[in-house]
Amino acid sequence: MRVAHLIWSMKAGGSETMLVDIANEQALSHDVAVLIGNSDIDDVVRQSLSDRVTVKMIGRPPASRNLWYIVKIIRALLSFKPDIIHAHQESFIRFLRFLSFHKVLTVHDTSQRLKYVQGYDAVFSISDAVRHDIQAKRPGTHSTVISNGICFAAVKAKTGYGQLPFRIVQIGRLDHQIKGQDILLRALQSVSQIFGGESILIDFIGEGSSKEYLNILAKELGVAGQCRFLGRQSRKTIYERLHTYDLLVQPSRHEGFGLTVVEAMAARVPVLVSNTQGPMEVIENGKHGYYFQAEDHLDCSKQIRRIVEDSRTEDFPEAHYRHYSYAKSRFDIADTTCRYLDAYELVLTRMLK
């Protein structure tokens, strides 16, 4: 099978991470191409693509209306001759509809307008939260849930718990209005008053437009000495170092899934998420992780205190092995890839009848 993935931007983010993993896994047994529309490419993400994957960079300046770049995408697709075009933003259908190739779409979050979603032969959602959002915005559109996945074997496992200082990590784009890093900083101020300064430390991994704001906020809250902004890190580095942390916090205001939560579970690191639909789905509504009331930094602080105390209990390591086993059974990249390939086959079979 020949599969062409289409994405506008290749920067560090959940959909880009998922695309890299899926393309690499599919390329082990199929012909796979990734077409990157825009010129704003994160080299770390781009270099994560396997040599088996054909990469075609279109070079469109972001938001450009120059039709020449659309022509370049069409010519690249005609040259590759895919059996399936797998789009990762719905807007591609505006010109894909004129091509005879079979077209499918993955919706990655709940913030998309979904004006053109019904133009695809099949639609996939990364979570039930996203599926419900599609149904609410475009009634009658059927969507199949295929959860994101990761390579569990690549993640080093944590073995020791209960030590101080207690090291927290937050991974994601520095966009506090979506990812909620400001909530975590306020929670840090609160919890530090109980455990004392330097007992709770936070590393923020990622880049984004909120970096300056978050640095200023940390200083205003008096916790700047307990925070590090480490910038963008390669997936390999994150997978090798994640086990050194005592907790991952994902304080998002909006989140369609929560791939970093799965990565922490793979490392057997405790997770604390806001009770938004996507992350809550990952931890099975609290059965395999901790959660706090979204937007509530005091509840976030309360849960961090609880986790610090729980981490000193005898059965804590065994509990996180169970969480790891659960996550592996649901979010392994090999399973995700197989489900997509089966779905492609179903589309091809249905269209040939």
Side-chain angles (χ1 to χ4, degrees):
M1 186 185 304
R2 297 176 68 81
V3 182
H5 291 273
L6 292 183
I7 193 164
W8 281 119
S9 180
M10 185 59 83
K11 296 192 284 188
S15 59
E16 292 84 354
T17 296
M18 175 267 194
L19 170 55
V20 168
D21 288 346
I22 293 294
N24 288 346
E25 193 75 13
Q26 289 177 343
L28 295 175
S29 54
H30 297 274
D31 293 331
V32 177
V34 172
L35 278 68
I36 306 168
N38 289 351
S39 58
D40 54 343
I41 297 172
D42 186 311
D43 288 337
V44 173
V45 179
R46 161 68 183 83
Q47 290 165 10
S48 298
L49 284 165
S50 165
D51 291 339
R52 294 173 178 265
V53 177
T54 300
V55 180
K56 297 181 181 292
M57 293 180 284
I58 305 304
R60 169 182 176 260
S64 171
R65 295 180 178 274
N66 190 332
L67 293 178
W68 168 239
Y69 298 105
I70 304 301
V71 172
K72 287 183 69 175
I73 294 175
I74 292 173
R75 288 174 63 180
L77 289 170
L78 291 172
S79 174
F80 185 69
K81 297 182 177 65
D83 298 300
I84 288 281
I85 297 174
H86 189 159
H88 295 269
Q89 277 98 20
E90 62 159 337
S91 59
F92 283 111
I93 199 63
R94 287 182 289 180
F95 59 86
L96 290 181
R97 69 181 65 193
F98 302 111
L99 300 178
S100 60
F101 304 115
H102 302 300
K103 314 160 191 74
V104 300
L105 169 71
T106 291
V107 181
H108 292 271
D109 56 56
T110 57
S111 65
Q112 298 188 33
R113 296 176 64 187
L114 305 178
K115 292 174 62 177
Y116 312 103
V117 69
Q118 292 168 325
Y120 289 91
D121 298 321
V123 178
F124 308 113
S125 311
I126 64 169
S127 65
D128 278 325
V130 174
R131 180 173 64 86
H132 293 318
D133 184 66
I134 294 171
Q135 290 176 338
K137 291 175 179 174
R138 291 292 176 261
T141 299
H142 175 75
S143 174
T144 301
V145 176
I146 300 181
S147 299
N148 284 356
I150 68 166
C151 179
F152 278 71
V155 185
K156 289 188 176 181
K158 187 173 184 64
T159 56
Y161 301 88
Q163 64 267 28
L164 288 177
F166 191 83
R167 301 184 65 226
I168 298 173
V169 64
Q170 196 280 322
I171 304 172
R173 186 173 68 257
L174 297 183
D175 182 350
H176 71 281
Q177 293 180 330
I178 295 176
K179 297 297 185 179
Q181 289 95 348
D182 58 314
I183 299 168
L184 180 54
L185 285 174
R186 296 182 191 281
L188 174 62
Q189 182 194 44
S190 177
V191 77
S192 294
Q193 293 171 356
I194 296 171
F195 288 99
E198 307 299 320
S199 293
I200 310 291
L201 308 174
I202 298 180
D203 283 347
F204 292 91
I205 297 176
E207 292 285 353
S209 58
S210 293
K211 184 174 181 178
E212 182 178 359
Y213 166 80
L214 293 170
N215 270 291
I216 292 172
L217 180 62
K219 292 176 183 177
E220 290 177 349
L221 295 172
V223 296
Q226 297 166 249
C227 300
R228 294 191 301 177
F229 291 88
L230 302 182
R232 184 176 59 253
Q233 304 284 319
S234 70
R235 181 85 69 83
K236 184 176 184 294
T237 298
I238 291 172
Y239 282 8
E240 288 177 348
R241 297 180 181 174
L242 194 50
H243 75 284
T244 66
Y245 291 97
D246 302 296
L247 173 67
L248 176 132
V249 181
Q250 201 66 0
S252 304
R253 291 180 163 92
H254 311 283
E255 194 75 60
F257 182 69
L259 195 64
T260 59
V261 178
V262 176
E263 292 169 339
M265 294 169 78
R268 304 180 201 179
V269 171
V271 296
L272 172 62
V273 305
S274 59
N275 64 341
T276 49
Q277 283 183 300
M280 288 297 287
E281 192 174 322
V282 172
I283 66 168
E284 205 173 10
N285 294 313
K287 187 175 180 180
H288 296 286
Y290 298 84
Y291 62 93
F292 69 94
Q293 182 66 40
E295 302 272 2
D296 188 342
H297 73 276
L298 292 178
D299 192 31
C300 181
S301 170
K302 177 182 175 181
Q303 296 307 318
I304 292 172
R305 296 198 306 271
R306 175 188 172 191
I307 296 164
V308 173
E309 293 166 0
D310 286 354
S311 70
R312 298 166 178 166
T313 60
E314 186 177 349
D315 61 348
F316 201 70
E318 182 182 346
H320 283 82
Y321 182 77
R322 292 197 302 272
H323 302 334
Y324 157 83
S325 299
Y326 157 78
K328 191 174 189 307
S329 71
R330 283 202 56 189
F331 306 116
D332 191 284
I333 188 63
D335 295 334
T336 302
T337 300
C338 286
R339 291 199 64 195
Y340 271 116
L341 292 172
D342 289 345
Y344 298 161
E345 291 284 4
L346 188 61
V347 169
L348 294 174
T349 302
R350 186 172 69 234
M351 294 301 166
L352 288 173
K353 289 182 179 179

